[in-house]
Amino acid sequence: MAEDRKTTSSGVEWRVTMPDNHSSSGRAEQGVEWQVKVPEGSTVKVEHETSLVVRAWARMVQFLVRRKDMFIGFLKNAWKLGVDDPRKVLHGLKVGLALALVSLFYYTRPLYEGVGGAAMWAVMTVVVVFEYTVGGCLYKGFNRATATSTAGAIALGVHWVAHKSGKQFEPVILSGSVFLLASAATFSRFVPTIKTKFDYGITIFILTYSLVAVSGYRVDALLQMAQQRVSTISIGIFICLCVCIMIRPVWAGQELHLLITRNMDKLAASLEGCIEEYFEEDSGTEKEKKSQGYKAVLNSKASEESQANLARWEPRHGRFGFRHPWSEYLKVGVTMRYTAYCLEALNGCINSDVQAAISVKKCLSDECKKLGTQCAMVLKELSNSIKEMAQSSRLELLVCDMNLAVQDLQDALRSLPSQLQKEALQAAQVQKTSISSAIITSVKNENIVAMPLMEVLPVITMASLLIEISLRIEGIVDAVESLADLSEFKPVSDEKPAKVSPSDDDASIAAQGSETKKTIPEV
C-alpha cells in the first residue's frame, strides 16, 4: 500500500492511500482511500462538481428568463407606443378592414367569377398601396394606377407588333422591348423631379410591363388577362382610398404643420435651457434634457421633405387648400435648422472643459439672460402664429425688444474690459497683490491691472453666439411672414378700446375730484 500525506498552511492534513501497482484486481476491489484531518475550530467547505446535465439545464433556464424579459419589454414598448399615439393602432385596424373587404372578391363566388382568377391582385394592391397618411395612399394609388395602365397598353401594342412579325422575330422584339424600356425607366429614376414624385410609379411600370410582355408570349387571351388585372387593381385602390379617407383620416399636410410648430417650440425651450444651464450653478438632468431639444430640429429634414411631398397629393381639408404653399414650410424648416446649428455650438460651450470664472459670468449674465428670453419669446410667438394660422400683432414689438437686448449685450461687451479692470483693482487693493499675465490692461496711478485670457474668452464666445442666434431668428421671422402671405393667414384684428358711457365718465370724474379734495388737507 502506498500512502501520500499533505498538510496545507491552514493545518488541514490530506492523506491518500493507494493499493500496490502489481495487483490490479486488488486495486479494483480496495479502491483509493481519502482521509482528511481538520484541526479543531476550523471549517472546510466541500464543493461538489456539478454534472453536465445540471449545467445545461441552468443555462437553458437562464436563456428562457432572458427571452421572457425581452418579450415583456417588447410588449411594454408596444403598449407605450399605442398609448402615446392611438392613430397608429387605428391604422393597423384600417389595413385589416381593407384586406377583409377586398378578400370578399376571392371568397364570394359571384364576385370571383366577375374578376376571374386575378382577384389576388386586388389583395396585393391593398398591401402595397395602403399608407398611414391620405397623401401617401393617394400618391401610391395614383402611381400604381397610371403605371399599370400605361405599361399594360404599351405591352399590348408591342405584343401585337411582335405577333405580326412572325414566330421567329416575336421573342426578339419582346426581349428587346423589355431591355430598352426597363433600362430607360430605371435611368429616369435618377432624375430628381421624377424620383421625388414618380419613383414608385416607375417601379410598378417596369414590373407590369415585364410581366405582361413575358407572360403574353405563352398566353392567347392576353387582352382579357390585362383587363382583369387592371380591374382588380382598380378595385384594390378604390377600397384603400375609401377606408383611408372615410375612417379617421391622417393628413400629411396637417402632420407637417404640427411638426413645424413643435420643432419651433423645442428650439425656444432649448435656447432657454442652454442659458439657464450656463449661468446657473445647479444644473439638473431636466435642464440638460431641455437644452437638447435642438437635436429634434436637426434630425427632422427627411420627415419634413417626405410629408411636404405627400401633402401635395391631398385634396382640400380643414384650413389647407388644394394648392397650399407646402414648400414654404420647408423654407421655415431650413431656417430653423440654420439656427439649431448655432445652438449646437452654444451647447458645446456649455459642456466645454474651459469655463469662464464665475465673476466674469456675472458681468454678462443679466444681458445674456434677457436676450435669450427675448429670442425664445419671438420663437414662441412665431409658433403660435403658425399654429393658429393668424398673423401676430405682438411680433414686431417682440422683434424690437430682441434687437434692443442685442444692443444692450453689445454695450456690455464694450464695457467689459473697464468693468473687469475695476474688479481687478478692488481685488488687488484687498489682497495687496499684483495680477500678472495680462491681456486687458489699463494704467491707473502707474499700476498695470490685467485679467487672464482663458477666464474671459468663453463668456465672450457665449455672448457672440447669442447675438448670432438672434440674427438667425430674424431669418425665421422672414420665412414665417412669407408663409403667412402665401397661405393667407388671418390678418391682425384692429381691436378698438371699449366705449365708456357718459354716466361712467361722470362717476370717474367725481371719484377723482373727491380724491383730490382728500389729499389737499393732508398737504
Side-chain angles (χ1 to χ4, degrees), residues 162-163 165-178 213 217:
H163 181 69
S165 301
K167 292 293 184 181
Q168 296 180 351
F169 295 99
E170 184 176 2
V172 177
I173 294 176
L174 292 176
S175 300
S177 64
V178 171
Y217 182 73

Side-chain angles (χ1 to χ4, degrees), residues 40 103 131 137 140 175 179 188 239 246 258 264 266 301 325 369 376:
E40 295 182 358
S103 62
E131 287 291 332
C137 196
K140 282 197 169 183
S175 300
F179 171 76
S188 66
I239 292 177
M246 294 183 180
L258 295 177
M264 201 167 291
K266 290 179 181 179
K301 180 180 179 181
K369 289 180 180 179

Side-chain angles (χ1 to χ4, degrees), residues 92-108 111-112 115 119-127 130 232 235-247:
L93 298 177
K94 288 161 66 175
V95 174
L97 177 62
L99 287 173
L101 291 175
V102 80
S103 62
L104 295 178
F105 287 88
Y106 200 83
Y107 296 140
T108 308
L111 298 177
Y112 180 79
V115 297
M120 188 56 66
W121 284 92
V123 178
M124 294 174 60
T125 301
V126 172
V127 174
F130 207 107
T232 52
I235 291 171
I237 294 174
F238 178 75
I239 292 177
C240 285
L241 294 178
C242 289
V243 175
C244 186
I245 295 176
M246 294 183 180
I247 302 177

Side-chain angles (χ1 to χ4, degrees), residues 108-356:
T108 308
R109 182 167 295 277
L111 298 177
Y112 180 79
E113 292 177 354
V115 297
M120 188 56 66
W121 284 92
V123 178
M124 294 174 60
T125 301
V126 172
V127 174
V128 299
V129 169
F130 207 107
E131 287 291 332
Y132 179 67
T133 60
V134 177
C137 196
L138 287 170
Y139 162 73
K140 282 197 169 183
F142 176 80
N143 276 268
R144 185 168 181 82
T146 305
T148 301
S149 57
T150 304
I154 296 176
L156 289 175
V158 173
H159 181 75
W160 182 81
V161 173
H163 181 69
K164 294 297 182 181
S165 301
K167 292 293 184 181
Q168 296 180 351
F169 295 99
E170 184 176 2
V172 177
I173 294 176
L174 292 176
S175 300
S177 64
V178 171
F179 171 76
L180 292 176
L181 288 177
S183 301
T186 303
F187 175 76
S188 66
R189 296 178 64 185
F190 293 101
V191 180
T193 305
I194 296 178
K195 184 176 181 60
T196 302
K197 298 181 179 180
F198 307 107
D199 184 67
Y200 178 72
I202 296 297
T203 305
I204 296 300
F205 175 84
I206 297 172
L207 176 63
T208 304
Y209 182 81
S210 301
L211 289 176
V212 175
V214 174
S215 62
Y217 182 73
R218 300 293 183 183
V219 177
D220 296 331
L222 181 61
L223 182 60
Q224 183 180 1
M225 182 189 70
Q227 182 180 0
Q228 290 177 352
R229 289 187 180 182
V230 171
S231 61
T232 52
I233 289 174
S234 302
I235 291 171
I237 294 174
F238 178 75
I239 292 177
C240 285
L241 294 178
C242 289
V243 175
C244 186
I245 295 176
M246 294 183 180
I247 302 177
R248 297 293 298 272
V250 179
W251 304 96
Q254 188 175 3
E255 292 295 311
L256 175 62
H257 186 82
L258 295 177
L259 177 62
I260 293 296
T261 56
R262 286 197 302 266
N263 285 345
M264 201 167 291
D265 290 335
K266 290 179 181 179
L267 202 64
S270 178
L271 179 58
E272 291 178 341
C274 288
I275 298 298
E276 293 176 1
E277 187 178 355
Y278 186 78
F279 287 102
E280 294 182 7
E281 297 181 3
D282 52 342
S283 58
T285 56
E286 295 183 359
K287 293 182 180 180
E288 293 179 359
K289 185 178 179 180
K290 182 180 178 181
S291 63
Q292 300 297 320
Y294 69 91
K295 293 182 179 180
V297 183
L298 296 177
N299 299 329
S300 63
K301 180 180 179 181
S303 180
E304 291 175 4
E305 292 178 351
S306 175
Q307 292 179 1
N309 183 32
L310 297 178
R312 297 188 181 99
W313 295 89
E314 295 178 345
R316 182 182 181 87
H317 58 281
R319 299 174 294 177
F320 308 103
F322 184 71
R323 298 184 64 84
H324 194 74
W326 301 113
S327 58
E328 296 298 321
Y329 286 90
L330 297 180
K331 294 180 181 179
V332 176
V334 169
T335 55
M336 285 196 300
R337 280 189 294 276
Y338 188 55
T339 307
Y341 288 130
C342 203
L343 266 176
E344 188 175 19
L346 188 65
N347 191 58
C349 292
I350 296 174
N351 299 323
S352 176
D353 296 335
V354 180
Q355 294 292 334

Side-chain angles (χ1 to χ4, degrees), residues 394-413:
R394 302 174 56 244
L395 184 59
E396 294 183 359
L397 180 61
L398 291 175
V399 172
C400 292
D401 292 341
M402 183 181 69
N403 293 330
L404 291 176
V406 171
Q407 293 179 3
D408 293 340
L409 181 57
Q410 291 175 347
D411 295 339
L413 286 173

